[in-house]
Amino acid sequence: MAIVDIEGVRKVYHRDSQEITVLDGINLRVPEGEFVALMGPSGSGKTTLLNLIAGIDRPTSGRVMVAGTDLSLLSEGALASWRSHNVGFIFQFYNLIPVLTAVENVELPLLLVRMSKAQRRERALTALRVVGLADRALHYPRQLSGGQEQRVAIARAIVTDPKVLVADEPTGDLDARSAQEILELMETLNKQFRKTIVMVTHDPRAAERAHVQRHLDKGVLTA
Amino acid sequence: MALPLTYNIRSLVVRWKVTLLAIFGIGCVVTVFVVLLAMLAGFRLALRSTGSPDNAIAVQRGSGSELTSFFSGEAADIIAADARVARAAGDGAPLVSREIVIIANLPRRVDGAPTNVTIRGVSPLAFQVRRGLRIVKGRTFKPGLNEVIVGQRIGERVRGLDIGARLSVQKRDWEVVGHFQADGSSFESEIWGDLDVMAPAFQRTGGQNSMTVRLADPATLKAFDETVQADPRFQIRLVQEQQYYEDQAGPVAGSLLALAGFVALVMGTGAIFGAMNTMYAIVAARTREIGTLRALGFSRLSILTAFVVESLFLGLAGGVLGCLLSFAANGYTTATGQTSSFSELAFAFKITPANVTAGILFALAMGFLGGLLPAWRAARLMITSALREA
Ligand SMILES: Nc1ncnc2c1ncn2[C@@H]1O[C@H](COP(=O)(O)OP(=O)(O)OP(=O)(O)O)[C@@H](O)[C@H]1O
Ligand SMILES: [Mg+2]
């Protein structure tokens, strides 16, 4: 069974009196354990599609099933709770909370889970170890390089052990070397930890890491 | 479920330049508010400590103050003869003090501007009837002489009241022979002399403005008052002495309270808008952060709570600042026109724990009200557009 199962999804924005169709009849199935790269020109709807999969946006019509749940059936609150258990987010600009240390950032999603303080710290440190930054646990984001920040963000994405990771241009703001390291880390997460990854990227070298490349153009999957 | 408090505190500290103005705004309002309440507390204290629990004061019915009260010497004799009045140890004379009260215009020490000072002519037994009076400098006045003693507070505030000075009131000279304290009561804002000398000098013969009576048993006051009020020969009532002086605070206390309320409303509204502005700026600057937290699974309610809490901290910081600033005024002595007797009453600001609590609660209320709308906006943000923000 596919962990992501999207059927006939349309997303339409209304700007002034104009209708803008951003996604136009998307059908997409991603089997569990897959590493998919979503490519396409700017404005083609990649981020919009990723947001639907991640449950932070809703389609105008069509069905989005992720990890066995029809997201359209969930209320706002239930959807938030669903996200905290099922999806890990990796952003282009890392989006770490600047006033929290690395380990506190990683702990954030665990605040939504019933767990003792010590357990939380332990889990967060384990996640930091996975990304190779255990020694930077007490550093603030501003004390880290871009690549290190993104690794902390990845630790935050995996700390609740979600089934699906969504990444929107995770290497878009990094130099080649750091990008390389991040991609290797994501490959590891996919291979060793069996995470299903949906990654939006412009970078062909990044896309090569994925098992499958899908192309989006003007709101339609072309390949 | 909730975000940790350290997150809010650190966020405020990091943006201290933005938050400082709001904290300062709330702080100023709290300072003024607490100082006004401290004035009120000090004022009440000065009046409440005036008089003794077992004394009663006889005044003309319908009079608002001693100044507007007057009754005959015969009436005073009848009341003094009542068995419920305590007697002096030696000769068994009733412990009463017939008193006249007049107002003199004297120059203030600071600027020489005239101010009203209460002058009280008292009976020789006044010092027995009224406990707590102490001569701190010089001596007391001698009966039959044009001598006065001066309450310590008014001595500090009015010119020409040093020992040995001559005070000219209504074309008569009075020599200042002593200074006295009276446990911080309003008597410390008065000048006292011999009734028998003052009455003719001030054309108040044939009676007195009031008579203070020591009761043998304070519990008999109510019955005593009923007897006095029922007597058709005069129009007098008996009031518990402390109660009488505290009631004099009524109009001034009321206007101080009204002023505190006005400050709270007008300045408070300004400070709330200041805090609101700051919180809107904070929310705008952290839009992407809010989007991230929501994506991670934090609910709208936890975002709303987080920003309200942050605004409460803003208020708390302002409240603490305001209370600290207001302590600069603690103990500072000032005076007010005591409206019901038109005379100057000196009193000290008194910051009580209740004042501080009120100030802090007020600050928290300002923080809460200022934070509510911005927090609401933060909670309502669309996740996808919040994540797009720079
Ligand atoms: N809230 C919105 N209101 C109106 N139009 C929107 C909104 N969000 C996105 N769009 C439009 O939808 C289209 C697709 O946006 P999307 O962000 O999905 O593109 P993208 O493929 O991720 O582009 P990029 O590679 O530049 O990130 C764009 O034309 C964009 O302007
Ligand atoms: Mg995009």
PDB file of all heavy atoms in Angstrom, chain A residues 13 15 20 22 40-49 169 202, chain B residues 388, ligand 1:
ATOM      1  N   TYR A  13      -6.365  28.977  -6.422  1.00  0.00           N
ATOM      2  CA  TYR A  13      -6.346  30.210  -5.631  1.00  0.00           C
ATOM      3  C   TYR A  13      -7.191  31.253  -6.326  1.00  0.00           C
ATOM      4  O   TYR A  13      -7.275  31.279  -7.555  1.00  0.00           O
ATOM      5  CB  TYR A  13      -4.912  30.756  -5.499  1.00  0.00           C
ATOM      6  CG  TYR A  13      -4.071  29.984  -4.512  1.00  0.00           C
ATOM      7  CD1 TYR A  13      -2.980  29.223  -4.942  1.00  0.00           C
ATOM      8  CD2 TYR A  13      -4.351  30.034  -3.147  1.00  0.00           C
ATOM      9  CE1 TYR A  13      -2.198  28.522  -4.040  1.00  0.00           C
ATOM     10  CE2 TYR A  13      -3.579  29.330  -2.242  1.00  0.00           C
ATOM     11  CZ  TYR A  13      -2.498  28.582  -2.691  1.00  0.00           C
ATOM     12  OH  TYR A  13      -1.739  27.889  -1.806  1.00  0.00           O
ATOM     13  N   ARG A  15      -7.394  35.124  -6.843  1.00  0.00           N
ATOM     14  CA  ARG A  15      -6.755  36.422  -6.626  1.00  0.00           C
ATOM     15  C   ARG A  15      -7.567  37.460  -7.381  1.00  0.00           C
ATOM     16  O   ARG A  15      -7.791  37.319  -8.580  1.00  0.00           O
ATOM     17  CB  ARG A  15      -5.305  36.400  -7.129  1.00  0.00           C
ATOM     18  CG  ARG A  15      -4.460  37.488  -6.450  1.00  0.00           C
ATOM     19  CD  ARG A  15      -3.030  37.433  -6.962  1.00  0.00           C
ATOM     20  NE  ARG A  15      -2.293  36.291  -6.397  1.00  0.00           N
ATOM     21  CZ  ARG A  15      -1.192  35.793  -6.970  1.00  0.00           C
ATOM     22  NH1 ARG A  15      -0.742  36.274  -8.103  1.00  0.00           N
ATOM     23  NH2 ARG A  15      -0.554  34.801  -6.406  1.00  0.00           N
ATOM     24  N   ILE A  20      -6.668  31.076 -10.160  1.00  0.00           N
ATOM     25  CA  ILE A  20      -5.370  30.541 -10.551  1.00  0.00           C
ATOM     26  C   ILE A  20      -5.327  29.072 -10.159  1.00  0.00           C
ATOM     27  O   ILE A  20      -5.403  28.735  -8.975  1.00  0.00           O
ATOM     28  CB  ILE A  20      -4.225  31.295  -9.858  1.00  0.00           C
ATOM     29  CG1 ILE A  20      -4.349  32.807 -10.118  1.00  0.00           C
ATOM     30  CG2 ILE A  20      -2.874  30.774 -10.345  1.00  0.00           C
ATOM     31  CD1 ILE A  20      -3.560  33.638  -9.164  1.00  0.00           C
ATOM     32  N   VAL A  22      -3.321  26.120  -9.476  1.00  0.00           N
ATOM     33  CA  VAL A  22      -1.920  25.821  -9.165  1.00  0.00           C
ATOM     34  C   VAL A  22      -1.641  24.328  -9.321  1.00  0.00           C
ATOM     35  O   VAL A  22      -0.587  23.930  -9.802  1.00  0.00           O
ATOM     36  CB  VAL A  22      -1.579  26.300  -7.744  1.00  0.00           C
ATOM     37  CG1 VAL A  22      -0.156  25.913  -7.376  1.00  0.00           C
ATOM     38  CG2 VAL A  22      -1.753  27.817  -7.637  1.00  0.00           C
ATOM     39  N   GLY A  40      10.765  20.679 -11.128  1.00  0.00           N
ATOM     40  CA  GLY A  40       9.910  21.484 -11.980  1.00  0.00           C
ATOM     41  C   GLY A  40      10.281  22.947 -11.866  1.00  0.00           C
ATOM     42  O   GLY A  40      10.937  23.354 -10.909  1.00  0.00           O
ATOM     43  N   PRO A  41       9.858  23.744 -12.870  1.00  0.00           N
ATOM     44  CA  PRO A  41      10.203  25.162 -12.864  1.00  0.00           C
ATOM     45  C   PRO A  41       9.548  25.898 -11.691  1.00  0.00           C
ATOM     46  O   PRO A  41       8.615  25.400 -11.075  1.00  0.00           O
ATOM     47  CB  PRO A  41       9.669  25.679 -14.201  1.00  0.00           C
ATOM     48  CG  PRO A  41       8.694  24.666 -14.665  1.00  0.00           C
ATOM     49  CD  PRO A  41       9.066  23.367 -14.044  1.00  0.00           C
ATOM     50  N   SER A  42      10.066  27.090 -11.438  1.00  0.00           N
ATOM     51  CA  SER A  42       9.523  27.912 -10.365  1.00  0.00           C
ATOM     52  C   SER A  42       8.058  28.226 -10.627  1.00  0.00           C
ATOM     53  O   SER A  42       7.670  28.532 -11.751  1.00  0.00           O
ATOM     54  CB  SER A  42      10.342  29.206 -10.271  1.00  0.00           C
ATOM     55  OG  SER A  42      10.051  29.859  -9.078  1.00  0.00           O
ATOM     56  N   GLY A  43       7.257  28.108  -9.624  1.00  0.00           N
ATOM     57  CA  GLY A  43       5.839  28.421  -9.771  1.00  0.00           C
ATOM     58  C   GLY A  43       5.019  27.275 -10.306  1.00  0.00           C
ATOM     59  O   GLY A  43       3.815  27.419 -10.524  1.00  0.00           O
ATOM     60  N   SER A  44       5.627  26.103 -10.480  1.00  0.00           N
ATOM     61  CA  SER A  44       4.896  24.985 -11.065  1.00  0.00           C
ATOM     62  C   SER A  44       4.000  24.294 -10.036  1.00  0.00           C
ATOM     63  O   SER A  44       3.193  23.441 -10.393  1.00  0.00           O
ATOM     64  CB  SER A  44       5.887  23.979 -11.667  1.00  0.00           C
ATOM     65  OG  SER A  44       6.799  23.542 -10.685  1.00  0.00           O
ATOM     66  N   GLY A  45       4.166  24.632  -8.753  1.00  0.00           N
ATOM     67  CA  GLY A  45       3.269  24.059  -7.738  1.00  0.00           C
ATOM     68  C   GLY A  45       3.923  23.028  -6.839  1.00  0.00           C
ATOM     69  O   GLY A  45       3.233  22.321  -6.102  1.00  0.00           O
ATOM     70  N   LYS A  46       5.247  22.948  -6.848  1.00  0.00           N
ATOM     71  CA  LYS A  46       5.945  21.920  -6.058  1.00  0.00           C
ATOM     72  C   LYS A  46       5.688  22.087  -4.559  1.00  0.00           C
ATOM     73  O   LYS A  46       5.328  21.134  -3.871  1.00  0.00           O
ATOM     74  CB  LYS A  46       7.464  21.993  -6.323  1.00  0.00           C
ATOM     75  CG  LYS A  46       7.864  21.859  -7.778  1.00  0.00           C
ATOM     76  CD  LYS A  46       9.365  21.877  -7.948  1.00  0.00           C
ATOM     77  CE  LYS A  46      10.011  23.193  -7.562  1.00  0.00           C
ATOM     78  NZ  LYS A  46       9.622  24.323  -8.445  1.00  0.00           N
ATOM     79  N   THR A  47       5.904  23.316  -4.087  1.00  0.00           N
ATOM     80  CA  THR A  47       5.709  23.561  -2.658  1.00  0.00           C
ATOM     81  C   THR A  47       4.257  23.324  -2.255  1.00  0.00           C
ATOM     82  O   THR A  47       3.975  22.737  -1.211  1.00  0.00           O
ATOM     83  CB  THR A  47       6.138  25.001  -2.313  1.00  0.00           C
ATOM     84  OG1 THR A  47       7.534  25.125  -2.577  1.00  0.00           O
ATOM     85  CG2 THR A  47       5.870  25.335  -0.865  1.00  0.00           C
ATOM     86  N   THR A  48       3.356  23.746  -3.141  1.00  0.00           N
ATOM     87  CA  THR A  48       1.926  23.560  -2.857  1.00  0.00           C
ATOM     88  C   THR A  48       1.603  22.080  -2.687  1.00  0.00           C
ATOM     89  O   THR A  48       0.910  21.688  -1.734  1.00  0.00           O
ATOM     90  CB  THR A  48       1.097  24.164  -4.000  1.00  0.00           C
ATOM     91  OG1 THR A  48       1.511  25.523  -4.193  1.00  0.00           O
ATOM     92  CG2 THR A  48      -0.376  24.136  -3.675  1.00  0.00           C
ATOM     93  N   LEU A  49       2.140  21.251  -3.572  1.00  0.00           N
ATOM     94  CA  LEU A  49       1.891  19.811  -3.499  1.00  0.00           C
ATOM     95  C   LEU A  49       2.490  19.221  -2.222  1.00  0.00           C
ATOM     96  O   LEU A  49       1.855  18.420  -1.520  1.00  0.00           O
ATOM     97  CB  LEU A  49       2.475  19.126  -4.747  1.00  0.00           C
ATOM     98  CG  LEU A  49       2.306  17.604  -4.836  1.00  0.00           C
ATOM     99  CD1 LEU A  49       0.840  17.190  -4.705  1.00  0.00           C
ATOM    100  CD2 LEU A  49       2.886  17.070  -6.154  1.00  0.00           C
ATOM    101  N   GLU A 169      13.422  21.962  -0.906  1.00  0.00           N
ATOM    102  CA  GLU A 169      14.742  22.487  -1.273  1.00  0.00           C
ATOM    103  C   GLU A 169      15.702  22.497  -0.082  1.00  0.00           C
ATOM    104  O   GLU A 169      16.219  23.548   0.297  1.00  0.00           O
ATOM    105  CB  GLU A 169      14.596  23.887  -1.881  1.00  0.00           C
ATOM    106  CG  GLU A 169      13.728  23.836  -3.128  1.00  0.00           C
ATOM    107  CD  GLU A 169      13.636  25.182  -3.834  1.00  0.00           C
ATOM    108  OE1 GLU A 169      14.669  25.872  -3.880  1.00  0.00           O
ATOM    109  OE2 GLU A 169      12.548  25.512  -4.342  1.00  0.00           O
ATOM    110  N   HIS A 202      15.553  21.834  -7.014  1.00  0.00           N
ATOM    111  CA  HIS A 202      15.895  22.362  -8.337  1.00  0.00           C
ATOM    112  C   HIS A 202      17.186  21.740  -8.828  1.00  0.00           C
ATOM    113  O   HIS A 202      17.535  21.835  -9.994  1.00  0.00           O
ATOM    114  CB  HIS A 202      16.124  23.883  -8.252  1.00  0.00           C
ATOM    115  CG  HIS A 202      14.873  24.682  -8.259  1.00  0.00           C
ATOM    116  ND1 HIS A 202      14.067  24.753  -9.354  1.00  0.00           N
ATOM    117  CD2 HIS A 202      14.289  25.448  -7.321  1.00  0.00           C
ATOM    118  CE1 HIS A 202      13.028  25.527  -9.080  1.00  0.00           C
ATOM    119  NE2 HIS A 202      13.148  25.961  -7.846  1.00  0.00           N
TER     120      HIS A 202
ATOM    121  N   ARG B 388       6.163  31.169   4.133  1.00  0.00           N
ATOM    122  CA  ARG B 388       6.726  31.881   2.991  1.00  0.00           C
ATOM    123  C   ARG B 388       7.430  33.163   3.403  1.00  0.00           C
ATOM    124  O   ARG B 388       8.232  33.695   2.631  1.00  0.00           O
ATOM    125  CB  ARG B 388       5.589  32.272   2.039  1.00  0.00           C
ATOM    126  CG  ARG B 388       5.488  31.415   0.809  1.00  0.00           C
ATOM    127  CD  ARG B 388       4.295  31.865  -0.006  1.00  0.00           C
ATOM    128  NE  ARG B 388       3.403  30.745  -0.259  1.00  0.00           N
ATOM    129  CZ  ARG B 388       3.582  29.891  -1.263  1.00  0.00           C
ATOM    130  NH1 ARG B 388       4.574  30.042  -2.094  1.00  0.00           N
ATOM    131  NH2 ARG B 388       2.748  28.890  -1.436  1.00  0.00           N
TER     132      ARG B 388
HETATM  133  N1  LIG C   1      -1.545  31.907  -1.049  1.00  0.00           N
HETATM  134  C1  LIG C   1      -1.473  32.019  -2.382  1.00  0.00           C
HETATM  135  N2  LIG C   1      -2.314  32.830  -3.026  1.00  0.00           N
HETATM  136  C2  LIG C   1      -2.234  32.944  -4.374  1.00  0.00           C
HETATM  137  N3  LIG C   1      -1.348  32.312  -5.107  1.00  0.00           N
HETATM  138  C3  LIG C   1      -0.477  31.484  -4.534  1.00  0.00           C
HETATM  139  C4  LIG C   1      -0.482  31.298  -3.124  1.00  0.00           C
HETATM  140  N4  LIG C   1       0.483  30.404  -2.820  1.00  0.00           N
HETATM  141  C5  LIG C   1       1.079  30.062  -3.980  1.00  0.00           C
HETATM  142  N5  LIG C   1       0.514  30.714  -4.990  1.00  0.00           N
HETATM  143  C6  LIG C   1       0.877  30.572  -6.404  1.00  0.00           C
HETATM  144  O1  LIG C   1       0.901  29.212  -6.705  1.00  0.00           O
HETATM  145  C7  LIG C   1       1.892  28.948  -7.674  1.00  0.00           C
HETATM  146  C8  LIG C   1       2.750  27.803  -7.224  1.00  0.00           C
HETATM  147  O2  LIG C   1       3.443  28.131  -6.060  1.00  0.00           O
HETATM  148  P1  LIG C   1       4.474  27.141  -5.402  1.00  0.00           P
HETATM  149  O3  LIG C   1       5.073  27.821  -4.249  1.00  0.00           O
HETATM  150  O4  LIG C   1       3.838  25.836  -5.177  1.00  0.00           O
HETATM  151  O5  LIG C   1       5.568  26.995  -6.548  1.00  0.00           O
HETATM  152  P2  LIG C   1       6.946  26.236  -6.514  1.00  0.00           P
HETATM  153  O6  LIG C   1       6.901  25.236  -7.606  1.00  0.00           O
HETATM  154  O7  LIG C   1       7.249  25.776  -5.165  1.00  0.00           O
HETATM  155  O8  LIG C   1       7.948  27.392  -6.918  1.00  0.00           O
HETATM  156  P3  LIG C   1       9.424  27.656  -6.429  1.00  0.00           P
HETATM  157  O9  LIG C   1      10.290  26.711  -7.189  1.00  0.00           O
HETATM  158  O10 LIG C   1       9.674  29.074  -6.826  1.00  0.00           O
HETATM  159  O11 LIG C   1       9.432  27.455  -4.946  1.00  0.00           O
HETATM  160  C9  LIG C   1       2.683  30.236  -7.852  1.00  0.00           C
HETATM  161  O12 LIG C   1       2.280  30.846  -9.032  1.00  0.00           O
HETATM  162  C10 LIG C   1       2.268  31.063  -6.686  1.00  0.00           C
HETATM  163  O13 LIG C   1       2.290  32.423  -7.008  1.00  0.00           O
END
